[in-house]
Amino acid sequence: MTWNHLAFDLGAQKLGQAAEFACGPGGLIYEAARLDVQETLDRLTGEDSGFRGANRAWRKGPEKDFVMSHGRYVWCLYEEKPGEPTGDTARRLAEKLIIRQRQRAE
């Protein structure tokens, strides 16, 4: 089983734009996927202290492989589907998460 990470900005949806997402290289072990997200959050926290809460939440451990910052930026892990391009899996997951966030906002 391999893992990857996904990041996207829910704020684009609020502006009527399509949410852009970015996923990792794929084919990662779980710990490497978590570390990639942690390194991103560390860098962002250094640039903007507003990411500190998301960084702390991620560091608490793998109870949740999902974190949000500023009410719009999302990072999460996902298990890749054998035989499916990782970008397709990421897109499907991002769409599900966006729908879920919209429903919570209503």
Side-chain angles (χ1 to χ4, degrees), residues 9-70:
D9 178 0
L10 288 170
Q13 290 289 313
K14 294 175 185 174
L15 299 173
Q17 302 168 356
E20 292 187 28
F21 72 92
C23 61
L28 301 171
I29 62 170
Y30 178 81
E31 292 79 7
R34 278 198 65 82
L35 181 60
D36 281 358
V37 173
Q38 184 63 64
E39 289 172 348
T40 298
L41 290 170
D42 288 346
R43 180 181 51 78
L44 290 171
T45 300
E47 297 170 7
D48 177 351
S49 63
F51 287 97
R52 192 174 296 137
N55 197 328
R56 274 193 223 125
W58 193 261
R59 284 183 181 277
K60 285 184 180 177
E63 303 87 44
K64 287 190 174 183
D65 291 321
F66 174 92
V67 71
M68 182 184 289
S69 182
H70 294 81

